């Protein structure tokens, strides 16, 4: 199982969580780390190259810090441009069929804040629904999200544990049912 992790962080040098996750992933031989802002400083995505990368892997994880309950915009651009009709969907668009996709997301908000009765009012699973909805549309299955919350109160121990859990997640996560 080959995993492609597409990292979208506009300021990875100043990052704590996403930077640590990448460091850990780079030690795994069956994981390709692809940083969108490094690959495209001008934000012009090479669609054919991205499609080839996806085709060469079984699993694609979208890793990013949550921005306004959403992805950083370069990742939204990636979805808009790379998931083309005739490639990812439509009668001949079968290149993503059978792949597994998922999200790995860091947040400032605490775990408790991402609950129906919490400050952010929705769970992270709910907020990540657009990616979950993309999965069946492109013939893929959806992995449960991997998250790390409360970025401003994060101890070194919790971050270290998260690195281990993330690799474990990438190896062992099982797709959830589309209507789970
Ligand atoms: C423009 C912007 C929007 C943000 N929006 C959210 C948000 O909606 N929810 C949240 O929990 N954190 C939000 N944050 C905080 C980031 O998610 C947080 O700083 C990041 O996940 C920490 O990860 P890092 O150490 O890899 O940078 C936002 C940060 C920025 C810069």
């Amino acid at each position: 199982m080959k995993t492609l992790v597409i990292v979208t962080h506009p300021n990875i040098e100043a990052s704590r969580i996403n930077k640590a996750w990448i460091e850990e992933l780079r030690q795994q031989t069956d994981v390709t780390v692809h940083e969108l802002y490094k690959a495209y400083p001008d934000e012009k995505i090479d669609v054919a190259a991205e499609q080839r990368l996806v085709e060469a892997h079984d699993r694609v994880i979208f890793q990013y810090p949550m921005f306004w309950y959403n992805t950083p915009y370069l990742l939204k651009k990636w979805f808009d441009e790379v998931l083309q009709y005739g490639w990812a969907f439509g009668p001949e668009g079968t290149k993503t069929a059978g792949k597994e996709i998922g999200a790995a997301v860091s947040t400032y908000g605490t775990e408790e804040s991402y609950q129906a009765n919490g400050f952010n009012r929705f769970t992270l699973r709910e907020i990540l629904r657009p990616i979950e909805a993309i999965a069946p549309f492109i013939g893929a299955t959806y992995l449960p999200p991997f998250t790390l919350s409360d970025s401003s109160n994060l101890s070194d121990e919790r971050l270290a544990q998260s690195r281990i859990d993330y690799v474990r997640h990438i190896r062992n996560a099982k797709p959830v049912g589309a209507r789970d």
Side-chain angles (χ1 to χ4, degrees):
M1 174 79 70
K2 284 170 70 186
T3 301
L4 172 66
V5 179
I6 296 181
V7 179
T8 316
H9 195 305
N11 191 5
I12 197 71
E13 282 71 30
S15 150
R16 191 153 165 243
I17 298 174
N18 283 268
K19 192 156 83 176
W21 282 352
I22 293 174
E23 273 169 24
E24 193 68 31
L25 293 177
R26 288 206 197 281
Q27 297 170 36
Q28 316 303 318
T29 51
D30 49 354
V31 176
T32 307
V33 176
H34 179 51
E35 291 186 72
L36 284 189
Y37 277 99
K38 290 265 162 70
Y40 306 112
D42 58 0
E43 300 177 6
K44 289 204 182 91
I45 294 172
D46 181 339
V47 172
E50 295 300 308
Q51 291 179 338
R52 279 196 301 274
L53 253 185
V54 170
E55 287 171 25
H57 294 80
D58 312 295
R59 247 180 195 185
V60 183
I61 304 289
F62 300 99
Q63 178 192 316
Y64 56 91
M66 181 173 290
F67 280 5
W68 291 113
Y69 306 104
N70 219 314
T71 68
Y73 68 81
L74 189 55
L75 181 54
K76 177 61 166 62
K77 192 170 191 247
W78 189 98
F79 288 129
D80 294 357
E81 295 183 0
V82 177
L83 300 181
Q84 285 182 350
Y85 177 84
W87 182 77
F89 67 99
E92 324 226 309
T94 56
K95 299 290 192 201
T96 49
K99 304 219 180 271
E100 298 178 356
I101 69 166
V105 180
S106 61
T107 70
Y108 172 87
T110 61
E111 249 168 75
E112 304 77 59
S113 75
Y114 284 104
Q115 300 298 333
N117 58 355
F119 179 81
N120 290 304
R121 303 185 53 198
F122 300 99
T123 65
L124 288 171
R125 178 78 186 271
E126 287 170 327
I127 289 169
L128 296 170
R129 286 280 192 235
I131 296 178
E132 184 165 358
I134 285 172
F137 200 93
I138 62 169
T141 50
Y142 181 67
L143 300 168
F146 182 81
T147 60
L148 186 57
S149 307
D150 202 8
S151 59
S152 66
N153 288 305
L154 187 63
S155 66
D156 289 343
E157 291 71 29
R158 230 175 109 233
L159 184 57
Q161 184 61 48
S162 167
R163 291 166 69 129
I164 296 166
D165 294 344
Y166 187 24
V167 171
R168 206 171 280 150
H169 172 85
I170 282 188
R171 300 227 180 293
N172 302 329
K174 297 272 174 298
V176 295
R179 303 193 187 285
D180 190 7

